[in-house]
Amino acid sequence: NAGVTQTPKFRVLKTGQSMTLLCAQDMNHEYMYWYRQDPGMGLRLIHYSVGEGTTAKGEVPDGYNVSRLKKQNFLLGLESAAPSQTSVYFCASSYLGQGNGDEQFFGPGTRLTVL
Amino acid sequence: GEDVEQSLFLSVREGDSSVINCTYTDSSSTYLYWYKQEPGAGLQLLTYIFSNMDMKQDQRLTVLLNKKDKHLSLRIADTQTGDSAIYFCAEARGSTLGRLYFGRGTQLTVWP
């Protein structure tokens, strides 16, 4: 099993450009999450999904959109990138919700720089 | 407050014990987690504790939970240089199933 994979690993954008980050998991997990990690800020939840075809907002959803058309994939879109979106983005998945003692499995991260 | 609180830095000498502290926010949180992040990598689950437990031990790791004070700690015995990493405390709040709330992380540095 590959676990959780993310593409791309690195990306540099200019302000106003758009892009999509792809997350894929092969563990048949229901729940998927997108986080951003900024220095000294820990992880902040952007959006998450509790199953195929569903999405929900996290703590910092503005400027991002997501889609979960297939159970194994969770896409994060930036429609018009801003320098404030420079960050490391992590995708995670879990079989159950976190109220059940279930582990979240994390991808290796995407380092995004917006100039 | 609404944030999960952790001290940002801890330095210890190899062979000593490390204690990383965390204060969480929701007295109805069901599970509390410790994740480890090594440089350039994602987070990996170290251990977790259910809210009806006071202590959990797993080899070199001991988790203590004080529900009255909403305080969680992670003790690493015989700390090794390979334990150098960022450690995140996280809570699964009772009202928001499916989500974790993370602290800012504690950077543990182990000196030889």
Side-chain angles (χ1 to χ4, degrees):
Chain A
N1 286 351
V4 179
T5 58
Q6 292 181 232
T7 51
K9 288 187 169 52
F10 303 94
R11 186 72 185 269
V12 178
L13 291 178
K14 294 181 180 177
T15 298
Q17 288 185 314
S18 63
M19 77 163 294
T20 301
L21 282 68
L22 172 63
C23 176
Q25 53 93 5
D26 61 1
M27 296 173 282
N28 200 35
H29 285 171
E30 291 293 334
Y31 290 73
M32 296 188 75
Y33 313 82
W34 274 107
Y35 294 93
R36 60 177 288 173
Q37 184 179 32
D38 301 295
M41 293 293 292
L43 272 77
R44 292 182 291 171
L45 184 66
I46 305 170
H47 286 280
Y48 66 106
S49 168
V50 302
E52 182 179 320
T54 74
T55 63
K57 293 181 179 179
E59 299 168 68
V60 288
D62 294 342
Y64 305 95
N65 56 73
V66 286
S67 64
R68 184 96 181 270
L69 298 179
K70 294 182 179 180
K71 187 177 185 179
Q72 63 267 35
N73 295 337
F74 195 30
L75 279 62
L76 178 72
L78 285 73
E79 289 183 349
S80 179
S84 61
Q85 294 178 303
T86 294
S87 188
V88 181
Y89 291 85
F90 287 101
C91 176
S93 71
S94 63
Y95 185 63
L96 302 171
Q98 297 308 282
N100 298 283
D102 196 30
E103 177 179 357
Q104 282 192 19
F105 291 83
F106 282 79
T110 295
R111 188 173 295 275
L112 176 66
T113 301
V114 183
L115 302 175
Chain B
E2 293 296 316
D3 294 338
V4 177
E5 301 283 351
Q6 298 179 242
S7 53
L8 293 181
F9 302 99
L10 176 65
S11 293
V12 300
R13 198 166 290 280
E14 191 174 24
D16 289 349
S17 291
S18 308
V19 179
I20 302 172
N21 294 303
C22 169
T23 302
Y24 61 97
T25 67
D26 188 350
S27 57
S28 65
S29 287
T30 53
Y31 285 88
L32 296 133
Y33 297 81
W34 285 104
Y35 279 82
K36 177 182 180 182
Q37 185 182 31
E38 295 184 349
L43 278 69
Q44 285 188 302
L45 180 66
L46 267 184
T47 186
Y48 67 90
I49 188 167
F50 186 48
S51 56
N52 70 350
M53 299 170 65
D54 297 325
M55 184 180 85
K56 181 178 180 181
Q57 190 150 0
D58 183 2
Q59 298 183 331
R60 293 191 296 122
L61 305 178
T62 302
V63 179
L64 295 178
L65 177 60
N66 180 331
K67 285 187 68 177
K68 175 176 169 290
D69 295 334
K70 289 183 279 188
H71 184 264
L72 182 74
S73 68
L74 173 70
R75 178 177 181 269
I76 306 173
D78 187 25
T79 314
Q80 303 297 307
T81 54
D83 294 323
S84 293
I86 302 175
Y87 291 81
F88 291 92
C89 165
E91 64 174 332
R93 294 178 184 168
S95 60
T96 56
L97 297 180
R99 292 186 53 174
L100 283 183
Y101 292 81
F102 286 86
R104 295 185 177 191
T106 299
Q107 171 74 61
L108 173 65
T109 302
V110 183
W111 301 98

